[in-house]
Amino acid sequence: MAEKPSDEGDRNAKPEQAVLKTVDAQDARNAGAADLSLVEKARTNTSDGSLRKYAGADLADQEDSVSIDFGSYSASRKSGLTEKEIIAIGSKTYDAQAVLAYNPEPGNNISDATNATGVQENQQYEQDKSKILAKPVEVQPSGVQVTGLDYNTDNVPPSSKLFDFAQSATARLISEEGRQEYFQGQIDKVLGIGEGLNLAKEEVKTSTQQAVSKAWTALQDGSVSSFMAQPNAVNDPLFRTIGQCLDTMKRDPNAVNNVLAIMGRELDEANRKYDKLAPHDRGVQTGKAMFFFFNPTGSTESQGIRHMTRAEAITQRVEQQAMHMPEVPPELKHLELQNATPELITGVIGKGRRVEVVMPGSSNWRYLERIGAEANAGGPDNFHILIKPNASKIAVLEEFLHGTQKKLGIIDATGPEIAEVRVKDFMLRHQKLLGLTENDSVVLKSLKQLELERAQRRGFTLYEIEEKRWLSLPSK
Amino acid sequence: MAKFAFKVIEVFDLNERLALITDVLSCREHKHGSVIELHRPDGSVIQTESWYEVPVRGLNAPSDPPYSIGISNVDINGARITMEDIPIGTEVWLPDVSTEEINTAQNMASTGHGNTKSSSG
């Protein structure tokens, strides 16, 4: 039976139903092809039905996001300023004699940012370039405390220095039994902190003893060696902590006498930072690493190096794990890099830099050798650039960009360690703009990784190096 | 008020300035442009400006080279500094960080500098 809608019924109608009854809604619902065509023609953003043109939309948005500010010029993706144009801006005619200021006769020295093309440099390099090379000493640091960790002060390789250091430290410490007892106490303390926060006094004693027992077992069954052999062991905060201890000892001769106290303090500090590990695990890791370095009777049998002395074992581990990690792929060392062209050097000079090509035997050359560098940027504005003959393009560009970093306040804000990483990152992101070859980029990537790990070994965190990119920088 | 930071183990004359090789790997307290004190073994002190040295190292470089700084070859009074003026073992004392930070913060506040995004690096 049909029922006449009442007033009550109309008042209860749902809003969307009311809307659909409007004239506009009815028109829209009943629109034909001709109506749709009219509407489509009226659009200002008519689609051609393809999304292809939007594929690069994100990149386009970034065109203005990164640029190099030269003051009166700005180089960015959008401006399209190329290396050639940067050089042209210098507006100077290249004069090899004036710019390079050295004998233009082709020398025996082949040098670039990586020594990648092979080197024969007045016997200063050995054939096996995987080693840290002994270098001539300019000034003998006779008045300096020698713990075996000084750098390049003689022709003794780092392994021997560490060996000497270990012997020196051992000799100056308390008796072997006393040292072992002290460390035992430190382990008790560290593990006690980790495990005992919420436990009663008696429970702490019990669990600590168990944990210490586990640490000893870990040492004897080879777990310690396994721990240190982990790929990222050198990045472990504990490893760095121990490195800091050694560094502290190196700096202050008297610190050797206090090494045990320092060790304990550093371990406590490190332990507090192990928030990602369970307290018990933190203690075990601490104990393992500590015993690895200092336990007089540390078992290394499982690694097949029983015949080695303790110091030699330490040396081997430190060299393998810290000094040479990561292993640079051998093939990278033979990649041919672009040399810096005279035009590029002229262009850099045109930007206010003072470029000096240093020659073997000069004080500047010895300085670069001493700090293991292919080039250097220094002075108040980091505009004084030292390069070796036949320097690579990436070396010259990097030193040029360090000056730019200084102008922008980046170096002041971050320090040289982080600036080294970021400039390489910048160059990789702008490799096309800078005209880098594939080889240049591959080597640059590896160099960036080396700098990253170097900075981490100096106590900088990944957050500081990579993520705190935009913080703490002064405005232009 | 300065405090001890590290010792000098080698000195190089780079013509425009002097470069010091230190007995540490890194020093966060050292700031570019800071006036440092060189405490010589004979007890005398030289004050001069110091800067970062920013090298490019290759794949074959030592993993942990020493920290190096550049210093002006004239002291704050304008007197010439030579390599011979800085014997091995000379101690480098840095300005007190807390004082420096306070000054920096005050400068930044007075100039309106703040955290902002930069365009490079």
Side-chain angles (χ1 to χ4, degrees), chain B:
Chain B
M1 181 76 179
K3 66 175 183 179
F4 170 74
F6 42 73
K7 286 185 179 179
V8 177
I9 60 173
E10 275 187 78
V11 184
F12 292 89
D13 188 345
L14 303 184
N15 303 326
E16 292 192 359
R17 62 189 182 282
L18 299 171
L20 310 181
I21 306 294
T22 75
D23 64 344
V24 297
L25 299 180
S26 178
C27 182
R28 289 195 190 210
E29 290 77 20
H30 176 235
K31 302 296 180 192
H32 190 95
S34 59
V35 173
I36 61 171
E37 293 180 2
L38 299 169
H39 290 234
R40 302 195 292 179
D42 66 3
S44 59
V45 177
I46 299 173
Q47 286 184 298
T48 188
E49 193 175 357
S50 67
W51 309 293
Y52 294 143
E53 295 289 332
V54 194
V56 172
R57 295 194 174 91
L59 294 175
N60 294 311
S63 292
D64 291 299
Y67 186 61
S68 173
I69 66 171
I71 64 167
S72 171
N73 51 18
V74 292
D75 69 11
I76 57 172
N77 299 316
R80 184 90 179 166
I81 305 174
T82 65
M83 288 175 60
E84 290 70 34
D85 293 325
I86 309 173
I88 304 307
T90 295
E91 294 181 352
V92 176
W93 291 51
L94 303 178
D96 186 73
V97 174
S98 57
T99 306
E100 191 175 57
E101 283 176 351
I102 290 168
N103 292 339
T104 303
Q106 287 174 343
N107 289 338
M108 289 182 75
S110 62
T111 56
H113 283 167
N115 292 344
T116 184
K117 191 173 180 176
S118 183
S119 62
S120 170

